[in-house]
Amino acid sequence: MKKCPECGNPSYDGAPVCGNCGYKFPKPKVKAPMQEDIFEDRPIINKSGNEQSTLEIIKENKIVIGAILLITLIVIGIIIATGPTTDNSTKVDGLNKYTDANASFSYPSNWKDVNGSDELHYGAIFFEGSNGTEIEYYNVTSEFSSIYEINTQRISSAQENGDYVNTILPLQIDGKNTSNVILENADGTFTRYVSLLNNGNLYVFKINGKTLNDTTSSEIESVLQSVHIG
């Protein structure tokens, strides 16, 4: 029950007006039901004032990050510097093995790679063997058609240079007939030319030694017999 504020007459709660004086009661306010919060099951993460942002962490650790980047660049540089080179030598069974596009041969591991020059044969490689013996190897495209032509050219060049033809002996390398000419030079040293002709390419070992035995040693012969063409 409620009372009329004007005349005090009692009325029931839902009466719109007072039955005694006609006072209009104000309409009651309807309270909206509480709706379910769609986020009520999700945990609320509160950031404390002490937590750092990602940017602040990066700024504080920029020295460490810089050091890591520097070390990474150094490692990459070392890998590049020590990576594959143009050296065609590999080690097999205690021997070094040289390989190019058309030929390969093995040579003693105590032979030294040395710098040499041959203006007529660019790309020639040089080794120093026992007793200071110098071994030059190269392969070139050739106009020679036979071993006979190669021997003739060697003899002619020797005569022009005042060298003496010491030896012309038959030789086989990799199952192929090979030119084998030894010259005694004007200064008393010896030069041996071992030349193999195959499919228009000329493969040459030029061996310079102080004595004849230096150019024909078992060491030299083992290298020549290890040659494989093709």
Side-chain angles (χ1 to χ4, degrees):
M1 298 290 288
K2 59 183 177 180
K3 290 184 179 181
C4 176
E6 293 292 333
C7 65
N9 184 60
S11 301
Y12 63 91
D13 289 336
V17 296
C18 176
N20 180 44
C21 67
Y23 174 79
K24 293 184 177 179
F25 293 109
K27 294 182 179 180
K29 294 181 179 180
V30 180
K31 188 175 181 180
M34 183 177 294
Q35 296 182 353
E36 182 181 2
D37 189 348
I38 61 174
F39 300 103
E40 63 182 358
D41 293 332
R42 299 187 181 182
I44 299 175
I45 301 174
N46 293 319
K47 265 192 176 181
S48 66
N50 296 327
E51 292 184 358
Q52 293 178 302
S53 68
T54 302
L55 182 59
E56 290 172 339
I57 293 173
I58 292 174
K59 287 180 179 179
E60 289 188 3
N61 293 278
K62 61 183 179 181
I63 296 178
V64 176
I65 295 172
I68 293 172
L69 289 174
L70 179 60
I71 292 171
T72 302
L73 290 175
I74 292 173
V75 171
I76 293 173
I78 292 172
I79 292 173
I80 293 173
T82 58
T85 66
T86 56
D87 186 3
N88 294 328
S89 297
T90 56
K91 186 164 287 188
V92 179
D93 297 331
L95 296 173
N96 288 338
K97 185 174 183 180
Y98 176 84
T99 304
D100 61 26
N102 300 307
S104 65
F105 59 88
S106 299
Y107 60 95
S109 57
N110 63 344
W111 279 18
K112 299 177 183 178
D113 295 343
V114 295
N115 292 325
S117 63
D118 187 335
E119 296 179 356
L120 298 178
H121 305 103
Y122 176 77
I125 60 171
F126 296 81
F127 304 98
E128 182 182 323
S130 300
N131 301 324
T133 304
E134 183 185 77
I135 302 94
E136 176 185 358
Y137 164 77
Y138 58 87
N139 74 72
V140 293
T141 302
S142 176
E143 296 180 355
F144 292 122
S145 60
S146 67
I147 296 297
Y148 174 78
E149 288 185 2
I150 295 173
N151 287 339
T152 300
Q153 190 272 339
R154 296 291 183 214
I155 295 170
S156 175
S157 295
Q159 291 173 342
E160 291 177 2
N161 296 328
D163 300 327
Y164 170 72
V165 179
N166 179 281
T167 306
I168 300 178
L169 289 176
L171 183 68
Q172 277 215 336
I173 291 179
D174 197 24
K176 301 172 179 64
N177 292 328
T178 304
S179 170
N180 180 32
V181 177
I182 302 177
L183 305 178
E184 183 175 351
N185 305 311
D187 61 359
T189 60
F190 291 81
T191 300
R192 181 184 183 187
Y193 290 92
V194 178
S195 309
L196 190 156
L197 188 63
N198 187 69
N199 292 331
N201 289 328
L202 181 63
Y203 305 85
V204 177
F205 286 87
K206 180 181 177 182
I207 304 151
N208 292 314
K210 297 176 183 178
T211 68
L212 179 63
N213 288 338
D214 289 340
T215 65
T216 59
S217 66
S218 58
E219 182 179 76
I220 296 295
E221 297 304 323
S222 65
V223 173
L224 295 176
Q225 292 306 315
S226 72
V227 173
H228 176 68
I229 304 298

